Amino acid sequence: AVDQLRLLRSEFVKNVSNEVLNQLLDKLQEKILNPEEAESIRVRHRADKARYLVDTVLKKGQGAASVLVHTFCTLDSESDLCQKLRTVD
């Protein structure tokens, strides 16, 4: 999952919606992000929010990256990006 996030980081930043990002932050705060991390990401504009989310998750390793990919695909299962993340998986 770390490799797939690195490969698709720029596409994720470009395409993920603010609505999906906010849902992702809520879900990931339950599992891998502490409240301070989530809040520091949440206050940014959409592209920076996506960028910081991916970078924060990548620092946490394979397990966190897997949770992000799985959660994203649960929230946005029909997106091209989810299909690509699943293909690389």
Side-chain angles (χ1 to χ4, degrees), residues 1-10 12-13 28 32-33 37 41 50-69 85:
V2 166
D3 291 338
Q4 59 195 122
L5 274 179
R6 282 195 180 114
L7 279 171
L8 296 169
R9 179 182 181 267
S10 61
F12 182 85
V13 169
L28 296 180
I32 60 174
L33 297 176
E37 289 170 326
I41 295 168
R51 200 172 287 116
Y52 278 84
L53 176 60
V54 170
D55 293 346
T56 300
V57 168
L58 286 174
K59 290 176 190 170
K60 294 178 179 272
Q62 187 67 33
S66 294
V67 170
L68 173 60
V69 169
L85 286 167

Side-chain angles (χ1 to χ4, degrees), residues 1-88:
V2 166
D3 291 338
Q4 59 195 122
L5 274 179
R6 282 195 180 114
L7 279 171
L8 296 169
R9 179 182 181 267
S10 61
E11 189 170 344
F12 182 85
V13 169
K14 180 179 171 187
N15 293 313
V16 68
S17 72
N18 205 43
E19 180 182 342
V20 169
L21 281 169
N22 287 330
Q23 292 174 33
L24 266 174
L25 284 168
D26 290 341
K27 296 288 187 188
L28 296 180
Q29 190 172 339
E30 296 170 5
K31 299 175 182 179
I32 60 174
L33 297 176
N34 66 47
E36 294 79 20
E37 289 170 326
E39 188 56 30
S40 74
I41 295 168
R42 193 178 304 279
V43 298
R44 299 173 188 279
H45 293 291
R46 190 205 57 79
D48 282 341
K49 189 184 294 189
R51 200 172 287 116
Y52 278 84
L53 176 60
V54 170
D55 293 346
T56 300
V57 168
L58 286 174
K59 290 176 190 170
K60 294 178 179 272
Q62 187 67 33
S66 294
V67 170
L68 173 60
V69 169
H70 174 76
T71 306
F72 172 74
C73 286
T74 299
L75 294 171
D76 201 4
S77 60
E78 299 303 316
S79 72
D80 288 342
L81 183 56
C82 177
Q83 303 309 317
K84 288 178 182 177
L85 286 167
R86 286 184 176 156
T87 302
V88 177

